[in-house]
Amino acid sequence: MLTLALSKGRIFEETLPLLRAAGIEVTEDPEKSRKLILATTRPDVRVVIVRASDVPTYVQYGGADLGVTGLDTLIEHSADWGRGSGLYQPLDLRIARCRVSVAVRSDFDYASAVRQGSRLKVATKYVNIAREFFAAKGVHVDMIKLYGSMELAPLTGLADAIVDLVSTGNTLKANHLVEVERIMDISSRLVVNQAALKLKQSAIRSVIDAFSSAIAQD
């Protein structure tokens, strides 16, 4: 049995065509089903639905053989658990593309706030990415870890800036925030448990090869 860890939403939807290329169809919609383990048209493959930030942990510890997760999540996971975390990353799937950016209130003087040696309050769930970015600029930061409604932090005075995923930028505009710096571009990666790759090499390699061919044709 091969177990694939996915999160609901955009990553799930954009992974479906890649699974079809591997001859795998998920038989239920996780948005309509309460099940967390979904069958597929292949009796030897199942999908587990987990929180996006938990995908690398499930794969690392063998709760899943492989998974699909964003580069942002992988960077944070590696910083927390160490780079030798038992994860093999064979493919950039080029799906769920977005970027990690810094955003502030439209009336906030960001240029002055990030002068060398200055101090900034930053709200984010991407603590490691944000800390490394501002350290490289010589800016001291007080990190405030949040998990949602990031746009509220500057509006309520909780933080001067946020570091968050940005796709269209419409949510920022709706909340009178502006994107002031792009930190990095993000896409989703296929991650594989290294022990599973040895034990189930043929099955996992066939999935990797099918995904790779589908990406090349895109």
Side-chain angles (χ1 to χ4, degrees), residues 8-27:
K8 288 183 182 181
R10 188 178 173 193
I11 286 179
F12 183 89
E13 292 300 324
E14 294 189 22
T15 302
L16 291 180
L18 299 176
L19 287 172
R20 287 189 200 105
I24 303 166
E25 297 264 6
V26 182
T27 56

Side-chain angles (χ1 to χ4, degrees), residues 101-104 122-124 150-151 153-154 159-164 172 177:
S101 293
V102 183
V104 299
V122 178
T124 185
M150 214 67 64
E151 296 81 11
D160 302 311
I162 62 172
V163 170
D164 201 12
L172 294 178
L177 302 180

Side-chain angles (χ1 to χ4, degrees), residues 57-129:
T57 304
Y58 269 82
V59 176
Q60 177 181 342
Y61 288 103
D65 300 304
L66 59 170
V68 177
T69 188
L71 177 61
D72 51 312
T73 302
L74 277 175
I75 291 171
E76 292 294 314
H77 180 84
S78 295
D80 290 339
W81 295 92
R83 298 198 178 274
S85 56
L87 293 175
Y88 172 53
Q89 301 176 39
L91 287 176
D92 177 355
L93 299 176
R94 295 188 236 161
I95 61 172
R97 294 185 185 184
C98 53
R99 56 195 180 274
V100 177
S101 293
V102 183
V104 299
R105 287 192 328 268
S106 55
D107 61 351
F108 183 77
D109 188 354
Y110 180 75
S112 296
V114 293
R115 289 201 179 103
Q116 190 89 6
S118 61
R119 192 161 207 98
L120 199 66
K121 287 191 298 180
V122 178
T124 185
K125 70 175 178 178
Y126 303 109
V127 172
N128 297 299
I129 291 173

